[in-house]
Amino acid sequence: MHPFDQNSVLVQRATPIAPPFEPPVVWLLGKVQSGKSAIIRALTGASDVNIGSGYQPVTRTSRSVGFPAEAPLIRFLDTPGLGAAGYEPSADIAACERQAHLLLVVMRVLDQQQDGVLDVVRQIRARRANWPMIVAQTLLHEGYDSGGDHPTPYPFDGEMPPERLASLGLPQRLARSLVQQRSLFAGLPGHQPPRFVPLDFTTDIDGFSPREYGLPALLAALRDVAPASISAALRDTVIAANAVIAANAHARILGYATAAAAADLLPVAGALAVPATQATMLHSLAALYGARWDRALAGRFAASLGIGTVARAASMFGLRELLKLLPGYGQTIGTAAAAASSFGLTYAVGKAAVYFLGEQRLGDHAPAGVNQVYADALAQAFALGEARKQSGKAP
């Protein structure tokens, strides 16, 4: 037998066995309470509990967490406490540096005391000059004036020169801190300058909207500078998180659609109650995605839905309200048809909004396909309504 024949033992032994999938690794570097866990939570949709239980020790202090835990697509390294008195990070840095593919430096925006973090960053970049690096400037709301809220639309450009930050109409303290932090990285070793992304990931208790302010900008920065494996893995994790939110939203949409149908069983009342129900639903769904359903967001949704679709829905609603007022017909067939129509329209609007909000969370502010989701959901709603009617449920 020829030693290089395809069927030879030598060739079979030399055939490499595919190694197990090794997920790409993002290394989050920053001080305690700088917002590293909030970033992991926003990117993965995991709760604080899941993040805590998912961590595995890398060294005595550094930790690693993979998402999803059962078959990680991506792994995050967290080196806490840089710059803290008594902490010697050398072992942690060496262990993390051997594993990571991208450095995500996290800085609380009003904290200018970053010597410990910067010392480590300079050491890493001196050895890894080609590593991509992103600097997340976090907790923006700490620099807002009393009663202030996030500037909308998101005004920051990762490559924006510092002098432009002062022209965005931000509170003076916040603008000054953003510029000062950027200046700390002047003269940093490496082939490419860091990409800066101002962020503010908050909770419901904080009262700011959207809760994940700057998430699309972070995803865009990662897509621009990260290796393809990290970019794809992060997108997949956000898509998975969106799927969980959409599943939770389904029951809400059904509830609001049923409430809209019930309101439309009474003549005239539906003309006021149904739009109010749909508006409440849209605000509720937006909150699930960490967004605020304001005029700007509603305008983008309407544009994505399409003027023709919006006009047809409006005319359909107006016609059925007129039919309800017809003697005899309006109190029987017209009212039943109006209720079914309200159920279907509300359900379809809700499903289209969920798709739209999910795409927005991924950074697409004008997603295609929203009107198709609406049309498919409308057909599904009428089929669902018919099934519910046959089973004796309303509508």
Side-chain angles (χ1 to χ4, degrees):
M1 180 184 298
H2 194 281
F4 297 105
D5 186 86
Q6 286 190 344
N7 296 318
S8 72
V9 175
L10 289 177
V11 171
Q12 290 180 30
R13 286 180 178 173
T15 301
I17 299 174
F21 171 73
E22 289 295 331
V25 177
V26 175
W27 181 6
L28 290 93
L29 195 68
K31 295 169 67 174
V32 174
Q33 301 298 317
S34 59
K36 297 188 296 295
S37 292
I39 289 174
I40 297 174
R41 185 173 61 243
L43 289 173
T44 64
S47 66
D48 288 325
V49 173
N50 290 336
I51 290 175
S53 63
Y55 271 122
Q56 300 295 326
V58 176
T59 63
R60 183 174 58 85
T61 51
S62 289
R63 302 179 298 173
S64 170
V65 60
F67 285 93
E70 59 277 6
L73 295 170
I74 192 165
R75 189 169 294 279
F76 297 94
L77 298 179
D78 181 5
T79 308
L82 290 182
Y87 172 51
E88 171 49 54
S90 299
D92 288 342
I93 292 168
C96 292
E97 189 175 336
R98 286 193 298 270
Q99 302 176 52
H101 302 95
L102 179 141
L103 189 61
L104 179 55
V105 181
V106 185
M107 292 184 169
R108 199 168 186 147
V109 71
L110 295 188
D111 183 1
Q112 302 298 326
Q113 301 301 317
Q114 301 286 346
D115 290 347
V117 175
L118 289 166
D119 287 345
V120 173
V121 170
R122 290 191 186 98
Q123 295 173 35
I124 295 168
R125 291 278 284 200
R127 293 187 294 267
R128 310 277 186 173
N130 61 336
W131 264 16
M133 186 173 79
I134 294 173
V135 180
Q137 299 176 279
T138 63
L139 286 95
L140 297 178
H141 70 269
E142 293 183 344
Y144 294 166
D145 296 331
S146 178
D149 204 347
H150 301 316
T152 54
Y154 182 86
F156 306 103
D157 180 345
E159 300 177 353
M160 177 183 293
E163 59 270 17
R164 276 197 57 202
L165 286 169
S167 66
L168 295 178
L170 303 172
Q172 185 176 3
R173 179 175 61 158
L174 176 59
R176 184 171 59 247
S177 293
L178 286 166
V179 172
Q180 287 175 347
Q181 277 195 347
R182 293 187 179 203
S183 70
L184 298 177
F185 292 84
L188 185 73
H191 294 161
Q192 295 292 332
R195 178 79 168 262
F196 294 91
V197 184
L199 301 173
D200 201 359
F201 296 164
T202 57
T203 65
D204 288 334
I205 297 174
D206 296 313
F208 294 95
S209 180
R211 294 194 308 269
E212 295 170 345
Y213 184 71
L215 176 59
L218 177 59
L219 290 170
L222 288 163
R223 284 195 297 269
D224 290 345
V225 308
S229 57
I230 290 183
S231 179
L234 283 169
R235 182 175 176 85
D236 286 346
T237 58
V238 176
I239 289 172
N242 283 349
V244 173
I245 298 172
N248 292 333
H250 179 72
R252 293 197 186 193
I253 293 171
L254 277 177
Y256 282 111
T258 302
D264 228 346
L265 290 173
L266 297 175
V268 182
L272 299 176
V274 173
T277 300
Q278 292 172 347
T280 303
M281 175 186 68
L282 292 171
H283 281 85
S284 174
L285 294 176
L288 287 177
Y289 286 86
R292 175 190 293 157
W293 194 266
D294 55 17
R295 181 173 296 180
L297 187 62
R300 290 198 296 272
F301 175 60
S304 296
L305 195 57
I307 300 300
T309 301
V310 173
R312 284 193 298 274
S315 63
M316 186 176 179
F317 178 77
L319 177 62
R320 70 172 189 260
E321 291 304 314
L322 288 175
L323 290 175
K324 284 164 56 179
L325 299 178
L326 295 177
Y329 179 88
Q331 279 70 52
T332 54
I333 300 175
T335 299
S341 182
S342 288
F343 177 88
L345 286 172
T346 305
Y347 181 88
V349 167
K351 288 293 185 179
V354 162
Y355 173 79
F356 169 79
L357 291 164
E359 293 300 297
Q360 285 249 139
R361 195 167 181 267
L362 282 165
D364 189 346
H365 290 285
V370 176
N371 55 350
Q372 186 60 54
V373 172
Y374 172 87
D376 293 345
L378 191 60
Q380 181 187 6
F382 285 123
L384 180 61
E386 185 62 28
R388 288 164 68 91
K389 185 170 64 175
Q390 295 296 330
S391 64
K393 297 179 181 180

